[in-house]
Amino acid sequence: SLNLAADCNAVLKALQPIFQEQGMTETVHNWEDHGYLATYIKKNGSFANLRIHPHGLVLVDLQSYNDQMKGREEVDQLLNKVEERMKELFHGNIKRVKRLPAILRGGVIDRYWPTADGRLVEYDIDEVVYDEDSPFQNIKILHSKQFGNILILSGDVNLAESDLAYTQAIMGSGKEDYTGKEVLILGGGDGGILYEIVKLKPKMVTMVASNIDQMVIDGCKKYMRKTCGDVLDNLKGECYQVLIEDCIPVLKRYAKEGRMFDYVINDLTAVPISTSPEEDSTWEFLRLILDLSMKVLKQDGKYFTQ
């Protein structure tokens, strides 16, 4: 990014020799007032796009089928030469130089997972622990060196074994007394919240694992035990029960029966599964869950959500 308008032709001529030294053939597109696009192609299929914008932005994108260290060194050397040549050409008029790490596509193990709010995260995933399609969704459990096993449902990252802080936060950050209380958990199929609350001696915890998916429970109890402990080994315990049902009919039933809870904890996934036809949109679904939750919450009860 330059501090001044770019002399597109000068930038193009200055950088041409760098690509030519690599034995790359050149194609140049020129648009009036819109700068240049130059492509450089190597015999091995590697190619570079050089985009020069007149307002002072110069972009270089490299694509290469080579995951060997030597290939990465060659790419770095080429980018270093481009950067040096640009500094020679524009002296002190370069405002910013930013180099992004390579994105590795088509790997045996996918490292890149989008967040619910549209950001892309690269994880240090080194193993696919579990990958199955249920009638409702794809279920993956991947191992990360940093985070442990990670549960991913239909491409949405749900929880890692290291995410105890998330579980503690959605339970009230240690400030709540669950002793002798009635607790309703919506979602939470990984078993993390249930496992932590059961330790606090509640009267009864009802978890409606609203992914309606026994395979999530089965995968987590086998491969996410640092998160769920042994609470998913049985769907009923001394002070808890797990219902593999759609939470909307369950909430409506509880409201009709007059059943009330001291705590409602909404841990539904970002892309919830439901058999209910009432969810015309995500917002309608959220409104419906909130409205039904309030109907089963005691007057002095508390509602926790993401």
Side-chain angles (χ1 to χ4, degrees), residues 137 184-191 194 206-214 216-217 232 235 241-247 250 267-269 273:
Q137 60 196 327
L184 176 64
I185 302 171
L186 305 178
D190 51 73
L194 178 61
T206 300
M207 185 175 98
V208 187
S210 59
N211 41 53
I212 4 170
D213 202 336
Q214 180 67 46
V216 174
I217 300 287
L232 298 181
L235 297 184
Q241 61 175 340
V242 177
L243 307 179
I244 313 295
E245 299 182 45
D246 184 345
C247 67
V250 173
D267 191 38
L268 294 170
T269 61
I273 293 173

Side-chain angles (χ1 to χ4, degrees), residues 91-277:
H91 304 293
N93 287 315
I94 293 182
K95 181 168 61 178
R96 182 177 64 193
V97 176
K98 189 172 184 65
R99 192 182 298 188
L100 301 178
I103 292 179
L104 306 179
R105 296 174 173 173
V108 176
I109 299 176
D110 191 358
R111 305 179 182 184
Y112 305 95
W113 295 92
T115 62
D117 57 350
R119 292 173 293 127
L120 187 64
V121 179
E122 179 180 3
Y123 294 91
D124 58 345
I125 291 167
D126 59 1
E127 183 185 358
V128 178
V129 176
Y130 181 84
D131 187 356
E132 297 288 343
D133 288 312
S134 77
F136 306 100
Q137 60 196 327
N138 174 258
I139 306 161
K140 283 185 175 66
I141 298 176
L142 308 179
H143 180 263
S144 157
K145 296 175 185 177
Q146 183 177 6
F147 301 114
N149 286 347
I150 304 173
L151 174 65
I152 300 174
L153 300 179
S154 294
D156 178 46
V157 178
N158 274 233
L159 195 79
E161 288 180 312
S162 62
D163 285 335
L164 179 59
Y166 167 85
T167 301
Q168 291 173 334
I170 202 171
M171 289 170 52
S173 301
K175 299 175 183 178
E176 302 300 321
D177 182 6
Y178 287 93
T179 307
K181 300 296 174 62
E182 292 271 1
V183 182
L184 176 64
I185 302 171
L186 305 178
D190 51 73
I193 297 173
L194 178 61
Y195 180 54
E196 295 302 321
I197 287 186
V198 164
K199 298 176 186 177
L200 303 177
K201 309 299 182 184
K203 180 180 179 181
M204 175 57 67
V205 183
T206 300
M207 185 175 98
V208 187
S210 59
N211 41 53
I212 4 170
D213 202 336
Q214 180 67 46
M215 287 180 66
V216 174
I217 300 287
D218 293 341
C220 288
K221 73 181 181 183
K222 187 171 183 179
Y223 299 110
M224 298 282 291
R225 292 192 77 84
K226 288 182 181 178
T227 296
C228 66
D230 59 358
V231 293
L232 298 181
D233 293 350
N234 298 292
L235 297 184
K236 282 191 176 182
E238 287 185 15
C239 62
Y240 74 88
Q241 61 175 340
V242 177
L243 307 179
I244 313 295
E245 299 182 45
D246 184 345
C247 67
I248 291 175
V250 173
L251 283 168
K252 289 181 176 178
R253 184 171 74 243
Y254 286 168
K256 187 175 181 180
E257 294 171 354
R259 185 170 177 186
M260 306 296 281
F261 296 87
D262 298 288
Y263 291 92
V264 176
I265 301 177
N266 180 353
D267 191 38
L268 294 170
T269 61
V271 187
I273 293 173
S274 175
T275 56
S276 171

Side-chain angles (χ1 to χ4, degrees), residues 49-53 57-61:
N49 290 327
L50 171 64
R51 181 71 171 95
I52 309 167
H53 295 269
L57 182 64
V58 179
L59 303 174
V60 180
D61 295 308

